[in-house]
Amino acid sequence: MNTRIGEYYYKSDNSNTVAGRDSIPPAVVAQIEAATRFNDGRRRLATLSPAVQSQLGLEPYQPGLTIHRFLVERSA
């Protein structure tokens, strides 16, 4: 298996559904941080398909539009 299908927003302020960072073993924290970096890199490389852009109301289609660029432009 070992396939990433999503991500979990790990918080360090004890407001999440898991124990705070201080109670999680350093190896697990390192894995969470590595997964976060992996997902951030994927957002910078993965492009939105014509179908997804259409569902988001983006017309005309923008070839090469990455998830990262879409999120940055949307939040501006």
Side-chain angles (χ1 to χ4, degrees), residues 44-55:
R44 292 180 185 279
L45 296 174
T47 57
L48 298 174
S49 70
V52 169
Q53 288 189 34
S54 178
Q55 289 176 343

Side-chain angles (χ1 to χ4, degrees), residues 6-61:
E7 63 186 275
Y8 183 78
Y9 289 99
Y10 172 76
K11 297 180 183 179
S12 59
D13 64 358
N14 293 324
S15 66
N16 234 345
T17 56
V18 297
R21 183 184 191 113
D22 295 337
S23 65
I24 297 175
V28 174
V29 171
Q31 290 175 336
I32 292 169
E33 290 171 346
T36 299
R37 285 190 303 276
F38 176 86
N39 286 331
D40 289 343
R42 189 57 73 85
R43 281 190 196 99
R44 292 180 185 279
L45 296 174
T47 57
L48 298 174
S49 70
V52 169
Q53 288 189 34
S54 178
Q55 289 176 343
L56 293 170
L58 303 176
E59 301 290 342
Y61 170 65

